[in-house]
Amino acid sequence: MPLSFLNPVINEETSIQELENLLDTARKNYESLRKTEKEFWTFESIITPLFYHLHELQTTFSAYQNIDGVMSSDTSRKIIQIFQPQLVDFYNIMSFDTLMYEICIFIKDNDTLSSEQRRSVELLLEDFINSGVHLAEEEKSELKKINLQLNKISEKFSNNTLDDKKIFFHHCSDNTDISEIAKTDLDTAKQEAKERNLDGWVFTLSPPSYLAIQKECKNQGIRKLFYEKYHSVATSDTHSNKHLVLETLQLREQRAHILGHNNHAEYVFTQRMANTPSEVITKITELNILSKQKAKKELKELKNHFQLSEIFPWDISYYSEILKKEKFHINAKQIRQHFPLEQVIHGLFTIANKLYDITIEATDEKTYHPDVHIYKVFQEEELIAYYVMDIFSRSEKQSGAWCNDIRKRLKKENGEQEVPVVINVGNFGKGDPTLLTHYEVLVLFHEFGHALHVMLSQNTIENTSGFSTEWDFVELPSQCMENWVWEKESLDLFSQHYETKDPLPPELCENLKKTKSFMSGLRIARQSEMTLLDMMFHTRPAPHSIEELENIIKDNKKNFGIFSQEYGMYCSFSHIFAGGYSAGYYSYFWAEFLEAEVFEEFLQNGIFNTETADKYYQNILSQGAKKPGKQLFHDFMGREMNVSAFLKKYEL
Ligand SMILES: [Zn+2]
């Protein structure tokens, strides 16, 4: 079976042995590459084999990581925990390797390179420089210390947030306050109560439970309590993240200085599509001003409609939900009946075929779980990728949805191609039949957009595939794909009532589409405020005390907030303190700016217009990371990005 690596035998001893053997081979091959005589320092004799030798190790480890994410067990977790540090060590050695850095510079300056090879070397050099390979030994060891400390802090930040969130819960012994809450959320709350040996219902700060309270709990006092708790997670003495935030900002600034940058934002922007931090700050500030104007109108509408003398942050979701139902007659249950899973997948593949002329065929290959399906993807009868779908929720699966290229595309030394293996993972409830909510359909399209980016990119070198594009560019194909879930022409292809077989009625399509910009002012104002806080944190001089830190937050609130209430939300801002989004929270907006422009082209020419689709395919999807994102976008649009399509989309 060609894809048997997807299903590794999970055994602590043999699995670790297998991985360690691969690492050992990779290490030896790397060592012998370093010994190559200078006269053979060429792309083909150094960089091609470099990727080739790492390929099997990476693919095998990726398959183990996949199993740990979707079929997690104590053993799978242990395998990762034991092996990952060894792998990180090896990568660290490579990233500080002065000789390999010199070799890459030599190749860039002396070898005759194709444009893709040149880009590949440039990307390698960027990584080298950003890790500090060119610095003196003393500075290098300082950097290592800082990186280690930052890793520790980020783990502590994450644990504090989780632990503090867990402390709070709210018990309802009767249903007076929660009678409007949807049945699925009540079932979860009942289960939560049972686990605590309580009758009735228990609500917590975990997102589905918290959102159920904000959207559907009629008791304002309870909503307020939840809002305040949620926004002040990890600010209490027992689990406070305040000092961790302070130390993080200081260390990030120190690292940036050692690497020759003024601040952390400047440092990370060396590998972004956006030109400079100030360009981002300017664009997002404009957006903040416009969205606040719309948000004020939205607040007024809510106040007038529900005759409220004053409106608070904990009232918004609740009243918006009611108004949305009244205005658009959206009946979630009715909509859902039109999205049986099989029909949605069939429609999704049809859309991909209409746009990019690819054919996706089911295989009967078996893998680690009977619910997992493997497809072959063909372009003009040539196999270009394997696509794996693992979308049902299981107790041993991590929450959320994601896309991963378990095996990257590889040109073997004999010239043969190994096609990529891409997986989409989801957590949809399984039913008989499985009916998806419109939001779940959107998630499926989003993740499939990522998969397309990898499957369609015609890279021949590992580090120029779709997933290697800049952080603020990589969400373009996924967010763009979401657009096809709102248009009647495409809804007709994947919506089909599970009994009557009718597509979604036209008036429902119309109303569904209208909900897209409903209350968008409030959402965008809030998100732009957070984005600007991230930018302020990482462009201003690092604070020396908690007081100075909190002054930055107060300033930000005053300049960009809609409400004056501030509880210390930064203490649980995990995206930037425990995730990869520092000075990068803006990338959500950035990808939306980009995709709004791309999709505007489709809207003008027809959402299935083959010329537009081909232009998008030729200039963006098939290119992977063969050119910088900025240039790819320019090739498609014939100009630089602007935000007008985004503003139009959300009626700002
Ligand atoms: Zn995504």
Side-chain angles (χ1 to χ4, degrees), residues 325 328-340 344 434-439 441 491 494-512:
K325 279 178 196 145
F328 306 113
H329 314 285
I330 290 292
N331 177 337
K333 202 171 154 194
Q334 188 195 356
I335 290 179
R336 193 174 189 159
Q337 289 171 344
H338 289 83
F339 296 137
V344 174
T434 298
L435 302 172
L436 303 182
T437 65
H438 185 253
Y439 177 71
V441 175
L491 275 161
F494 65 84
S495 68
Q496 188 183 70
H497 192 280
Y498 77 110
E499 282 173 347
T500 66
K501 309 289 176 207
D502 291 330
L504 200 66
E507 65 281 5
L508 257 181
C509 290
E510 207 41 51
N511 282 340
L512 196 61

Side-chain angles (χ1 to χ4, degrees), residues 446-447 450 475 478:
H446 177 101
E447 298 308 333
H450 280 305
E475 292 289 333
S478 51

Side-chain angles (χ1 to χ4, degrees), residues 37-87:
E37 301 277 343
K38 194 165 179 175
E39 59 184 301
F40 299 110
W41 285 4
T42 62
F43 194 95
E44 283 303 340
S45 52
I46 301 277
I47 296 176
T48 303
L50 177 71
F51 285 122
Y52 181 75
H53 293 320
L54 291 173
H55 182 77
E56 198 183 348
L57 169 66
Q58 276 171 344
T59 306
T60 311
F61 185 58
S62 250
Y64 276 105
Q65 280 181 310
N66 180 55
I67 291 293
D68 189 46
V70 298
M71 300 279 286
S72 186
S73 63
D74 288 346
T75 316
S76 72
R77 194 166 305 166
K78 211 158 175 200
I79 293 167
I80 303 290
Q81 275 170 359
I82 293 175
F83 183 69
Q84 197 159 29
Q86 300 183 40
L87 190 64

Side-chain angles (χ1 to χ4, degrees), residues 193-212:
K194 219 169 158 187
E195 280 163 23
R196 292 164 202 260
N197 291 321
L198 292 167
D199 289 331
W201 301 266
V202 161
F203 291 87
T204 66
L205 295 181
S206 83
S209 189
Y210 172 74
L211 287 176

Side-chain angles (χ1 to χ4, degrees), residues 311-524:
I311 189 158
F312 297 96
W314 42 87
D315 297 327
I316 292 175
S317 299
Y318 179 71
Y319 289 112
S320 300
E321 276 303 298
I322 301 176
L323 186 61
K324 187 160 124 186
K325 279 178 196 145
E326 281 181 28
K327 261 183 133 164
F328 306 113
H329 314 285
I330 290 292
N331 177 337
K333 202 171 154 194
Q334 188 195 356
I335 290 179
R336 193 174 189 159
Q337 289 171 344
H338 289 83
F339 296 137
L341 178 68
E342 276 182 27
Q343 181 58 31
V344 174
I345 293 175
H346 177 75
L348 175 62
F349 291 172
T350 307
I351 290 171
N353 175 268
K354 280 173 89 91
L355 290 169
Y356 310 117
D357 209 10
I358 53 172
T359 318
I360 305 177
E361 281 176 15
T363 71
D364 46 19
E365 283 222 42
K366 302 270 174 289
T367 186
Y368 55 85
H369 194 281
D371 284 344
V372 181
H373 296 289
I374 299 181
Y375 300 86
K376 283 181 176 174
V377 184
F378 295 94
Q379 193 174 34
E380 290 169 7
E381 288 171 29
E382 184 197 340
L383 178 74
I384 56 163
Y386 286 97
Y387 173 63
V388 186
M389 242 187 185
D390 178 359
I391 51 175
F392 289 121
S393 137
R394 289 190 292 273
S395 59
E396 63 278 14
K397 198 189 253 190
Q398 272 172 31
S399 58
W402 63 90
C403 176
N404 188 9
D405 52 343
I406 301 183
R407 186 173 78 189
K408 295 176 196 306
R409 191 186 303 280
L410 173 81
K411 198 176 90 183
K412 291 190 198 165
E413 279 179 317
N414 62 11
E416 264 178 45
Q417 280 251 14
E418 198 164 73
V419 298
V421 178
V422 192
I423 187 169
N424 275 169
V425 181
N427 269 287
F428 302 154
K430 200 175 175 181
D432 186 23
T434 298
L435 302 172
L436 303 182
T437 65
H438 185 253
Y439 177 71
E440 286 171 334
V441 175
L442 184 112
V443 169
L444 187 64
F445 274 59
H446 177 101
E447 298 308 333
F448 186 72
H450 280 305
L452 274 180
H453 198 191
V454 176
M455 300 191 294
L456 293 177
S457 77
Q458 298 200 327
N459 59 304
T460 56
I461 307 168
E462 277 207 11
N463 69 338
T464 55
S465 102
F467 270 172
S468 305
T469 52
E470 296 91 335
W471 191 273
D472 47 1
F473 186 83
V474 77
E475 292 289 333
L476 163 61
S478 51
Q479 301 218 24
C480 191
M481 198 65 211
E482 290 178 16
N483 288 295
W484 275 265
V485 311
W486 301 98
E487 302 296 321
K488 184 173 180 311
E489 211 182 331
S490 48
L491 275 161
D492 283 349
L493 293 173
F494 65 84
S495 68
Q496 188 183 70
H497 192 280
Y498 77 110
E499 282 173 347
T500 66
K501 309 289 176 207
D502 291 330
L504 200 66
E507 65 281 5
L508 257 181
C509 290
E510 207 41 51
N511 282 340
L512 196 61
K513 203 172 162 183
K514 281 184 196 150
T515 60
K516 214 167 35 164
S517 61
F518 179 67
M519 297 288 150
S520 60
L522 283 158
R523 173 184 78 82
I524 293 167

Side-chain angles (χ1 to χ4, degrees), residues 288 291-293 295-296 298-299 313 316 521-527 529 556-565:
N288 181 262
S291 58
K292 277 199 313 200
Q293 286 165 0
K296 277 184 191 141
E298 290 164 357
L299 288 174
I316 292 175
L522 283 158
R523 173 184 78 82
I524 293 167
R526 175 74 188 139
Q527 199 184 323
E529 181 194 342
N556 197 71
K557 187 104 237 170
K558 196 174 82 203
N559 294 331
F560 308 118
I562 340 168
F563 291 102
S564 56
Q565 289 90 343

